[in-house]
Amino acid sequence: MEFKVNSRELEKLLSKVIPAVPTRTPMPILENFLFEIKDGLLTVYASDMEISLRSSISVVSEENEKYVVPAKLLYDIVRSLKDTTIHFKFTTSGKINIVTDFGKYTLNYIEGVNYPDIPKFEIDKDANEISINGNELKTAFDKSSFAMSKEEMRPAMMGTLFEFSNNGLRFVTTDGHRLVNLLYKNIKSISNNQYVVPEKAISVLSKILDDKDVTIRMNKSSMSFKLNDIELITRLISQKYPDYASVIPLENELTLKVNTKEILDSIKRMMLFSTNTTKRVKFSISQKELDIFAEDVDTGASGEEKVSCEFSGDNLEIGFNCAYVQDVLSHLTSEEEIIFKLHSATKAVIIEPVEKKENSDIMMLLMPVRLNS
Amino acid sequence: MEFKVNSRELEKLLSKVIPAVPTRTPMPILENFLFEIKDGLLTVYASDMEISLRSSISVVSEENEKYVVPAKLLYDIVRSLKDTTIHFKFTTSGKINIVTDFGKYTLNYIEGVNYPDIPKFEIDKDANEISINGNELKTAFDKSSFAMSKEEMRPAMMGTLFEFSNNGLRFVTTDGHRLVNLLYKNIKSISNNQYVVPEKAISVLSKILDDKDVTIRMNKSSMSFKLNDIELITRLISQKYPDYASVIPLENELTLKVNTKEILDSIKRMMLFSTNTTKRVKFSISQKELDIFAEDVDTGASGEEKVSCEFSGDNLEIGFNCAYVQDVLSHLTSEEEIIFKLHSATKAVIIEPVEKKENSDIMMLLMPVRLNS
């Protein structure tokens, strides 16, 4: 069995698929690509059993076969070659002979039948399909993925919630300390449903999405993202997502308006002074001035800064984890001004842009921490 | 005691000195800067006891004092501030109060007398001085530092030899497997001598050198590099440098001429196929063609490439450590063509550019490895 392919084209193909190859895995066979040659089309698959990626190119070949090929070594060879024709020959003794004008290389392959059943997408009666611009989807991930939980105790929170409703498509992430709630109003789906997409799918998609449209298909157990020339399929997290709406406070009547860059710069400096273990920072809010204070109990260093603000209430003191404040604010830097909606020193705080957008709503939630005063 | 300084100016000053602050040290006081304020001049020192760096700026202050100040925290604060005036106030209770228009910060200091005696340069009867362009010095380090040894058994080889003679200034580095020998003919010194400069000094200098001239002063035990606005002082390695000249073969009569980029690209691919532990690669040289072969005994993968060449001898087979060949060749990429001068499969190989330069000579040496054939 043999075929020929251009080195630059094969490099492009492999670079798309290799993000799904796991670096550490209890199943070493997943460190390989599956090469499927069928009717003059080479399809390359990679998977870590949670997500799978596949992409195809035309090759000159008349046979139909499947081979399991070392992923990293092959990718490293192909991308180190100049623009040339590569001639692949799979021998019956388990060797791949790769020949170019100036070199020949030999690798081992494994028969295709040994490759495991990787995530596939099957259309069933619950299947659903939408289309979304790739950049828009990437923006949603960029703004929300930081708040996914790393705690394995609650698997659903380790993913991103996709919620389809009459309002549009909503993305929710939370780790219990902060929450991101982003709604795209112009994405409508025929049915209302919730899907929890694992972190690995989100991070790989973030790398490969571009300004082209993406077709998302989903059923009860899996989701497919079809880009121009590549398809990512992911298993869904089966655990139900927590009821995020119930933790969003409704009575936060106090508003604190600040310039986003100004408060973020200040928070970044306060990070230097907050105690490493607690990262606590204190906001002392008055009508025109927000005073931010942090103290490192280990080194005795402390810092205090004043940020101008507009506050609708009387004086209020509230504590936060400085790192969480920085996370939230650094994902709102596209907004010039933001509003903190508060109720008291112990209630969750809502953070929103001052200027509303027509097609999307973004809202973040931050839990305060107790001040030892 | 107090003084005022512009944040950007102080940031520039600290950024120059901080490379000497050790990240791990048995003497925690070295994780600080020494601030010396004298006659309106602030001089900041940092040291790991092997090298020291110092730089100064004018400040508005009428007192003369020394303080030991947390290096990383202060540097992080200063560089996170916008362009503003910083007001430093050292209280008698061991606190530094740092005040700007919008914030105030408190750090702890230690009395200056507690800071250890760091490397200083003293002019003695053996002292000597030369001047060299900063870029030229940086180029010498860039081309040679990779070959310094990491083996603590032979301390001299862990540094770079500076050899002054009637021929000029010679830089030599070697780890016993490869050797770099670079001569700058236009640098003349009044006396002939050898100095061995530790790796840390070389790596810090590489970061701070620019196109300005550098004054190098040296005595028996230390060397000073005076740049425009910063001085680096390093202790010298006291062990005698090995007799490098005796390992350079004189009878290597066979010449192999190759294109540098072509052979380097090929060697990089062969790295993928060579066995991880030995990195062995085989050169089979004939009059017009160099055949490079590597085989990974662990995975069974192998690669073979042909590079066109001009060889003055009959057929010759010789083995190398692929990583060492790559190191040497990647530091000769400014040369279009290079010559390997060989004698036999067991003798050291000389690698030189085809085109000689008027003011400098560079020569590298590579030890072959045995081929199991």
Side-chain angles (χ1 to χ4, degrees):
Chain A
M1 151 82 216
E2 52 191 289
F3 66 87
K4 286 181 183 175
V5 62
N6 173 272
S7 59
R8 290 281 83 72
E9 276 182 50
L10 183 61
E11 179 190 355
K12 215 174 131 196
L13 175 74
L14 300 183
S15 72
K16 282 179 194 145
V17 179
I18 204 162
V21 175
T23 42
R24 262 170 301 179
T25 167
M27 291 173 68
I29 199 163
L30 296 175
E31 291 165 7
N32 293 270
F33 293 127
L34 178 66
F35 270 39
E36 184 185 73
I37 299 113
K38 202 173 171 182
D39 305 331
L41 197 72
L42 165 65
T43 304
V44 180
Y45 298 82
S47 176
D48 64 355
M49 298 310 282
E50 186 174 43
I51 67 164
S52 71
L53 280 170
R54 72 157 181 207
S55 188
S56 305
I57 41 169
S58 303
V59 292
V60 182
S61 169
E62 296 186 346
E63 287 150 283
N64 296 338
E65 278 293 352
K66 286 183 187 181
Y67 302 102
V68 177
V69 179
K72 191 172 176 324
L73 178 57
L74 182 67
Y75 179 55
D76 285 344
I77 296 168
V78 170
R79 67 176 170 165
S80 74
L81 291 173
K82 46 189 156 184
D83 192 342
T84 184
T85 299
I86 310 180
H87 189 154
F88 280 82
K89 192 179 268 176
F90 293 81
T91 71
T92 50
S93 57
K95 296 279 179 195
I96 317 169
N97 291 324
I98 299 172
V99 180
T100 69
D101 286 346
F102 49 91
K104 54 187 183 203
Y105 317 97
T106 305
L107 275 62
N108 295 311
Y109 73 83
I110 302 166
E111 296 290 343
V113 293
N114 297 296
Y115 198 72
D117 277 337
I118 61 177
K120 283 197 179 56
F121 185 80
E122 269 147 36
I123 300 199
D124 62 17
K125 67 176 174 49
D126 297 314
N128 196 349
E129 178 177 322
I130 62 138
S131 176
I132 183 169
N133 174 271
N135 273 344
E136 244 184 308
L137 188 59
K138 183 167 157 48
T139 301
F141 296 158
D142 288 349
K143 285 195 190 292
S144 63
S145 61
F146 75 93
M148 282 186 278
S149 174
K150 269 113 202 141
E151 284 286 333
E152 307 205 349
M153 289 291 290
R154 303 188 65 185
M157 284 163 68
M158 296 179 75
T160 294
L161 174 67
F162 284 51
E163 183 185 66
F164 294 92
S165 75
N166 299 332
N167 296 325
L169 169 56
R170 188 184 302 276
F171 300 88
V172 179
T173 55
T174 184
D175 64 356
H177 304 287
R178 55 251 162 101
L179 177 149
V180 180
N181 179 351
L182 170 64
L183 177 67
Y184 280 165
K185 300 177 197 169
N186 51 353
I187 310 279
K188 302 288 184 188
S189 134
I190 47 165
S191 66
N192 295 355
N193 225 330
Q194 289 198 336
Y195 306 91
V196 187
V197 178
E199 188 277 332
K200 174 84 177 183
I202 304 291
S203 66
V204 170
L205 281 166
S206 290
K207 278 180 216 151
I208 59 178
L209 285 169
D210 55 25
D211 57 0
K212 309 256 174 35
D213 276 2
V214 183
T215 302
I216 308 182
R217 294 180 301 161
M218 46 229 129
N219 61 30
K220 279 218 165 112
S221 62
S222 56
M223 205 178 244
S224 147
F225 296 81
K226 197 145 177 21
L227 286 66
N228 207 17
D229 48 4
I230 183 162
E231 183 174 7
L232 179 142
I233 293 160
T234 177
R235 295 190 204 283
L236 295 171
I237 296 175
S238 56
Q239 204 203 33
K240 197 173 149 39
Y241 205 76
D243 180 11
Y244 68 88
S246 71
V247 301
I248 299 174
L250 303 171
E251 77 280 27
N252 282 15
E253 73 288 2
L254 304 173
T255 61
L256 166 71
K257 189 161 96 176
V258 285
N259 176 284
T260 314
K261 184 174 165 13
E262 216 173 297
I263 184 170
L264 177 57
D265 285 350
S266 187
I267 287 291
K268 281 180 184 166
R269 283 186 289 269
M270 289 306 113
M271 283 281 280
L272 303 172
F273 295 98
S274 61
T275 307
N276 234 328
T277 46
T278 66
K279 288 278 167 218
R280 192 168 55 224
V281 70
K282 183 172 84 178
F283 281 30
S284 303
I285 317 171
S286 61
Q287 276 190 5
K288 304 248 167 198
E289 205 166 65
L290 163 62
D291 184 289
I292 306 178
F293 175 80
E295 182 173 19
D296 189 333
V297 297
D298 299 323
T299 67
S302 67
E304 183 173 359
E305 292 198 6
K306 293 187 189 309
V307 176
S308 60
C309 71
E310 287 173 35
F311 184 49
S312 70
D314 286 335
N315 296 356
L316 177 69
E317 288 199 344
I318 185 167
F320 293 107
N321 178 315
C322 206
Y324 293 163
V325 181
Q326 181 177 321
D327 277 347
V328 164
L329 298 183
S330 62
H331 290 87
L332 288 168
T333 47
S334 56
E335 314 295 335
E336 198 185 330
E337 287 185 311
I338 48 173
I339 286 182
F340 286 66
K341 292 186 177 171
L342 308 108
H343 177 72
S344 70
T346 55
K347 275 276 174 65
V349 175
I350 291 170
I351 303 170
E352 287 176 346
V354 168
E355 269 192 34
K356 301 289 175 202
K357 292 206 174 59
E358 197 183 330
N359 289 324
S360 70
D361 271 346
I362 187 160
M363 186 261 272
M364 304 207 185
L365 205 78
L366 197 56
M367 292 305 294
V369 297
R370 193 173 289 276
L371 292 168
N372 294 0
S373 52
Chain B
M1 151 81 216
E2 49 191 290
F3 65 87
K4 288 182 182 174
V5 62
N6 172 270
S7 60
R8 288 283 84 70
E9 274 180 52
L10 183 59
E11 181 191 354
K12 215 174 131 194
L13 175 73
L14 300 183
S15 72
K16 282 177 194 145
V17 180
I18 204 162
V21 175
T23 43
R24 262 171 300 178
T25 166
M27 291 173 69
I29 199 163
L30 298 175
E31 291 165 7
N32 294 269
F33 293 126
L34 177 66
F35 270 39
E36 184 185 72
I37 300 113
K38 201 172 174 184
D39 305 330
L41 197 71
L42 166 63
T43 304
V44 180
Y45 299 82
S47 178
D48 64 354
M49 298 309 284
E50 186 174 42
I51 66 163
S52 71
L53 279 169
R54 72 157 182 206
S55 187
S56 305
I57 42 170
S58 303
V59 293
V60 182
S61 170
E62 297 184 348
E63 286 150 285
N64 295 337
E65 278 292 354
K66 286 183 187 182
Y67 301 103
V68 178
V69 180
K72 191 173 176 323
L73 179 56
L74 182 69
Y75 179 56
D76 285 345
I77 295 167
V78 171
R79 67 177 171 165
S80 74
L81 291 172
K82 44 188 157 185
D83 192 343
T84 185
T85 298
I86 311 180
H87 189 155
F88 281 81
K89 192 180 269 176
F90 292 80
T91 73
T92 50
S93 58
K95 296 279 179 195
I96 317 168
N97 291 324
I98 299 171
V99 180
T100 68
D101 286 346
F102 51 89
K104 54 185 184 205
Y105 317 96
T106 305
L107 275 62
N108 296 311
Y109 73 83
I110 301 167
E111 296 290 344
V113 293
N114 297 295
Y115 198 73
D117 277 337
I118 60 177
K120 282 195 180 57
F121 186 80
E122 271 149 34
I123 300 201
D124 61 19
K125 65 177 174 50
D126 298 314
N128 195 349
E129 179 177 322
I130 61 139
S131 176
I132 182 170
N133 174 272
N135 272 345
E136 244 183 309
L137 189 58
K138 185 168 155 44
T139 300
F141 297 159
D142 288 349
K143 287 196 189 292
S144 64
S145 61
F146 75 93
M148 280 185 280
S149 175
K150 270 114 201 138
E151 284 287 334
E152 307 205 350
M153 288 291 289
R154 302 188 64 183
M157 284 162 68
M158 296 180 75
T160 293
L161 173 66
F162 285 51
E163 183 185 66
F164 294 92
S165 73
N166 298 333
N167 297 324
L169 169 55
R170 188 184 301 276
F171 300 89
V172 180
T173 56
T174 183
D175 65 355
H177 304 288
R178 53 251 161 102
L179 178 148
V180 181
N181 179 351
L182 170 64
L183 177 68
Y184 280 165
K185 299 178 198 168
N186 51 353
I187 310 278
K188 302 287 183 188
S189 135
I190 46 163
S191 66
N192 293 356
N193 224 330
Q194 290 198 335
Y195 305 92
V196 188
V197 178
E199 188 277 333
K200 174 84 176 180
I202 303 291
S203 68
V204 170
L205 281 167
S206 291
K207 279 181 212 149
I208 59 179
L209 286 169
D210 54 25
D211 56 0
K212 308 256 176 31
D213 276 2
V214 183
T215 302
I216 308 182
R217 294 180 300 161
M218 45 229 129
N219 61 28
K220 279 220 165 109
S221 62
S222 55
M223 204 178 243
S224 148
F225 297 81
K226 198 144 179 16
L227 286 66
N228 208 16
D229 49 4
I230 184 163
E231 182 173 8
L232 179 141
I233 292 159
T234 177
R235 294 192 205 282
L236 295 171
I237 297 176
S238 56
Q239 205 204 31
K240 198 174 149 40
Y241 204 77
D243 180 11
Y244 68 88
S246 70
V247 301
I248 300 174
L250 302 172
E251 76 279 29
N252 281 13
E253 73 288 1
L254 304 174
T255 62
L256 167 72
K257 188 161 97 177
V258 284
N259 177 284
T260 315
K261 185 174 164 12
E262 214 173 299
I263 185 171
L264 176 58
D265 285 350
S266 185
I267 287 292
K268 282 181 184 164
R269 284 187 287 270
M270 288 306 112
M271 283 282 279
L272 304 170
F273 294 99
S274 61
T275 307
N276 234 328
T277 45
T278 66
K279 289 279 169 217
R280 193 168 52 224
V281 69
K282 184 173 85 180
F283 281 30
S284 304
I285 316 170
S286 59
Q287 276 190 6
K288 303 247 168 203
E289 206 166 64
L290 163 62
D291 184 288
I292 306 178
F293 176 80
E295 181 171 20
D296 189 334
V297 297
D298 299 323
T299 67
S302 66
E304 183 174 356
E305 292 199 6
K306 293 188 190 310
V307 175
S308 59
C309 71
E310 288 173 34
F311 183 48
S312 69
D314 285 335
N315 296 355
L316 176 70
E317 289 199 345
I318 184 167
F320 293 107
N321 179 315
C322 207
Y324 293 162
V325 181
Q326 182 177 320
D327 278 347
V328 164
L329 298 183
S330 62
H331 290 86
L332 289 168
T333 48
S334 56
E335 314 294 336
E336 200 186 327
E337 286 184 310
I338 47 174
I339 285 183
F340 286 64
K341 291 188 179 170
L342 307 109
H343 176 72
S344 69
T346 54
K347 274 278 174 65
V349 175
I350 291 170
I351 303 170
E352 288 176 345
V354 168
E355 268 192 36
K356 300 291 172 199
K357 292 205 174 58
E358 197 183 330
N359 288 323
S360 70
D361 269 346
I362 188 161
M363 187 262 272
M364 303 207 184
L365 204 77
L366 196 56
M367 293 303 295
V369 297
R370 193 173 290 275
L371 291 167
N372 295 358
S373 54

